[in-house]
Amino acid sequence: MAKDKKTGIDRLEEEMEKQILETPKEELLEEARAKGRDPAEFAARMRAFVSKAKTEAGQARRAEARARLEQERNAGTANVVRMPTPEREQERRAYKPDTMAARHGKKLSERDKKAMEEDANELFNDDAWNDDHSDKD
């Protein structure tokens, strides 16, 4: 059996609470009236006390939660760890389409520029043409 680590005051509080909870309500009211106290006034005071305590506890929890959330937001960007992407994914991201149609008519690629230069050089290369300038092959 584990040792009881409660202090004497803790055990006393538990025993008093147990006795109060086990005592019938009529007996408690009778005892309060015998001492000249007004149970209705005491009940109203205790309800106000509990209500105020609940409100204050809720506000404290909300403020703590907001502070924790703000702390997590500030730390959130620093906690992002990028996982290495597989080679195929890296290749897909690096892929740039070769044709103008695939790029929707946007900027010429290096391959396009090189091909156009080769075509122009070929057009102006007299050795590439045969001597017959007819439309026949």
Side-chain angles (χ1 to χ4, degrees):
M1 187 171 181
K3 289 188 176 182
D4 189 10
K5 295 189 177 193
K6 295 180 184 174
T7 64
I9 297 204
D10 291 337
R11 287 192 292 274
L12 177 64
E13 283 179 359
E14 284 181 2
E15 187 61 33
M16 289 175 64
E17 184 178 333
K18 180 181 167 189
Q19 286 181 0
I20 290 171
L21 291 174
E22 289 176 355
T23 306
K25 184 167 52 170
E26 293 78 23
E27 190 176 322
L28 290 172
L29 291 172
E30 185 68 34
E31 188 178 318
R33 286 188 189 108
K35 291 185 178 181
R37 296 185 181 143
D38 182 16
E41 184 270 328
F42 177 75
R45 202 165 21 117
M46 289 311 293
R47 283 188 192 102
F49 172 76
V50 169
S51 176
K52 182 180 175 188
K54 280 183 178 179
T55 302
E56 289 174 358
Q59 290 171 345
R61 281 194 312 270
R62 188 174 338 146
E64 181 183 323
R66 282 184 180 156
R68 192 173 337 120
L69 181 63
E70 189 63 32
Q71 182 182 13
E72 288 173 4
R73 280 185 187 151
N74 292 339
T77 55
N79 291 340
V80 173
V81 177
R82 299 275 182 222
M83 298 300 289
T85 56
E87 279 185 43
R88 286 190 344 205
E89 179 66 20
Q90 290 174 350
E91 289 171 3
R92 187 186 65 77
R93 287 182 182 172
Y95 173 74
K96 294 195 174 36
D98 290 338
T99 64
M100 289 286 282
R103 288 192 310 276
H104 305 291
K106 296 192 174 130
K107 190 175 169 185
L108 290 173
S109 69
E110 291 303 315
R111 183 176 170 189
D112 286 339
K113 291 176 186 176
K114 185 177 177 187
M116 288 173 69
E117 273 184 40
E118 288 174 0
D119 288 346
N121 288 338
E122 193 175 305
L123 282 173
F124 293 106
N125 183 358
D126 291 334
D127 295 334
W129 295 90
N130 59 10
D131 291 333
D132 184 19
H133 293 291
S134 65
D135 287 337
K136 291 193 250 176
D137 287 343

